[in-house]
Amino acid sequence: TAFAGMDVFMSLKTSIGTFCGIFNAESDFTDFSFGAGYKKQFGPYSIFADAAYYIVNKNPVKYSFDFDVVYNMDAINAQAYVVYSSGNELGTIAKITYRMGTTRFYLYAKDMDILNKNLAFTVKPGMTGSFGMLDFDLAIDCYYEKDKFNVTVPLVITLQF
């Protein structure tokens, strides 16, 4: 029988924040990753930072550092995420949500390779909500890459019994 994989996550909560470590192994330990992180709450703000190292086929492949901050106060939630990895790759994701009753209006933006010479990004305004047993997610998904601009309008409806 082949080794399927293993995930180990550890965390230590202290008065100065939460420290965590993670180890992931797959394919008989030829592919694995490990990392460490830190999380802290400051009033309506929450921060999380971590570093990770990846090995594929027993060869070091890449490392990454990421940082995210969340602001949550009353009806407003704002999230920002930045990641940098070896190969000079820099990416960002941002989402702002405004809650009104059972409906949430949001604006989502993503560019996972800011330093690339070819501009590519996603911007998605939308709304999620529910009416009784019906949940919905409606958005205008705008994607630009290499002089092509695509717009889709996905609508997801879920009926819960």
Side-chain angles (χ1 to χ4, degrees):
T1 311
F3 177 74
M6 176 175 65
D7 291 311
V8 177
F9 178 80
M10 299 168 289
S11 69
L12 174 65
K13 190 170 187 174
T14 69
S15 61
I16 61 171
T18 301
F19 298 88
C20 62
I22 189 166
F23 176 79
N24 170 269
E26 296 179 14
S27 307
D28 295 326
F29 284 93
T30 57
D31 300 346
F32 62 94
S33 62
F34 56 90
Y38 172 76
K39 181 178 182 178
K40 178 71 175 169
Q41 184 83 31
F42 301 97
Y45 297 95
S46 172
I47 63 164
F48 182 75
D50 73 318
Y53 191 71
Y54 303 90
I55 295 175
V56 176
N57 293 325
K58 298 183 181 179
N59 296 311
V61 174
K62 75 176 187 174
Y63 56 86
S64 69
F65 304 97
D66 62 70
F67 177 78
D68 60 288
V69 63
V70 175
Y71 172 82
N72 196 6
M73 179 68 82
D74 299 326
I76 297 174
N77 178 280
Q79 304 172 15
Y81 171 79
V82 177
V83 61
Y84 176 80
S85 60
S86 55
N88 211 24
E89 298 168 353
L90 179 67
T92 61
I93 299 173
K95 184 175 182 181
I96 299 171
T97 306
Y98 179 76
R99 186 179 64 247
M100 186 183 305
T102 60
T103 304
R104 289 179 171 81
F105 300 91
Y106 64 87
L107 177 61
Y108 171 88
K110 174 181 170 183
D111 186 345
M112 290 310 290
D113 198 3
I114 292 174
L115 302 176
N116 189 349
K117 294 177 185 171
N118 298 320
L119 181 64
F121 62 88
T122 300
V123 175
K124 181 169 33 171
M127 60 190 285
T128 62
S130 63
F131 298 107
M133 296 179 3
L134 180 75
D135 294 339
F136 68 91
D137 187 349
L138 173 65
I140 302 172
D141 196 348
C142 306
Y143 179 73
Y144 178 83
E145 181 180 25
K146 297 181 183 178
D147 299 328
K148 293 182 181 177
F149 187 73
N150 295 313
V151 177
T152 58
V153 182
L155 172 61
V156 178
I157 297 175
T158 307
L159 184 60
Q160 298 186 21
F161 295 96

